[in-house]
């Protein structure tokens, strides 16, 4: 499973990119608004840092507006895929954009039927929102499992992004569910790499090797 960062913060993207494990980035209007910069500025900097796909979301609600915005966003860089909410207008936009060769990420997906329609429209990616489903008492990860299993049964090429990830266990569960990608907030990515036994192990190795250094210094 590929690991994407779910943020528009370029310092965070630079840091995780430097770890050598980052395959892409997803943004949304809320994440961009936190940075106090316009969408285009953020995206131009993000694509200069990241090697893989970068999602950017449209704000229009009508098909024509979505298509117009999508073309503008896609013209920024070939890495950009356009996030479009799963509505009738959004499906029509994805259909039109996929025939133009513009990559799309069907977002705000909360049901298997929505995911089936996203695939039928030709979406490159589909983003089920795990955490937001959990928040309303549904099983968000069950939706990821169902989408993966139905897409596999029917040979669907749309890639599944487990989105709205809230904690490291969501990432583990997304991988076990067979998601192609998990898009992960910075704080969760940092939690994922940490383990108290790793830290204690490093400390002990360094402490023990001090004896060798002392021995060598005494020769
Ligand atoms: C996905 O692409 C979205 O940007 C994101 O995962 C939404 O997460 P949230 O529910 O934490 O806002």
């Amino acid at each position: 499973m590929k690991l994407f960062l779910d943020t528009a913060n370029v310092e965070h993207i630079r840091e995780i990119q430097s770890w050598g494990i980052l395959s892409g980035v997803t943004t949304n209007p809320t994440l961009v608004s936190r940075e106090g910069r316009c969408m285009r500025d953020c995206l131009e900097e993000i694509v200069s840092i990241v090697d893989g796909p970068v999602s950017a979301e449209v704000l229009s609600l009508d098909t024509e507006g979505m298509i117009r915005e999508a073309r503008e966003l896609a013209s920024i860089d070939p890495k950009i895929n356009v996030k479009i909410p799963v509505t009738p207008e959004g499906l029509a936009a994805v259909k039109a954009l996929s025939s133009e060769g513009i990559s799309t990420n069907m977002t705000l997906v909360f049901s298997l039927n929505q995911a089936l329609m996203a695939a039928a429209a030709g979406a490159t990616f589909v983003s089920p929102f795990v955490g937001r489903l959990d928040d309303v008492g549904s099983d968000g990860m069950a939706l990821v499992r169902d989408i993966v299993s139905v897409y596999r049964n029917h040979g669907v090429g749309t890639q599944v992004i487990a989105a709205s990830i809230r904690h490291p266990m969501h990432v583990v569960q997304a991988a076990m569910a067979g998601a192609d990608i998990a898009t992960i907030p910075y704080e969760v990515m940092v939690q994922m790499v940490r383990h108290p036994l790793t830290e204690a192990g490093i400390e002990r190795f360094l402490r023990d090797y001090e004896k060798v250094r002392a021995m060598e210094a005494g020769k």
Side-chain angles (χ1 to χ4, degrees), residues 6 26-28 31 83 107 127 129 132 163-166 183:
D6 194 26
T26 54
T27 69
N28 65 37
L31 295 171
K83 254 175 148 177
T107 191
S127 292
F129 274 38
R132 291 193 198 186
S164 188
I165 293 286
R166 299 283 163 77
T183 189

Side-chain angles (χ1 to χ4, degrees), residues 63-78:
T63 304
E64 281 315 306
M66 286 173 173
I67 294 172
R68 195 182 52 251
E69 272 188 67
R71 287 180 184 142
E72 278 165 25
L73 291 168
S75 74
I76 297 174
D77 192 277

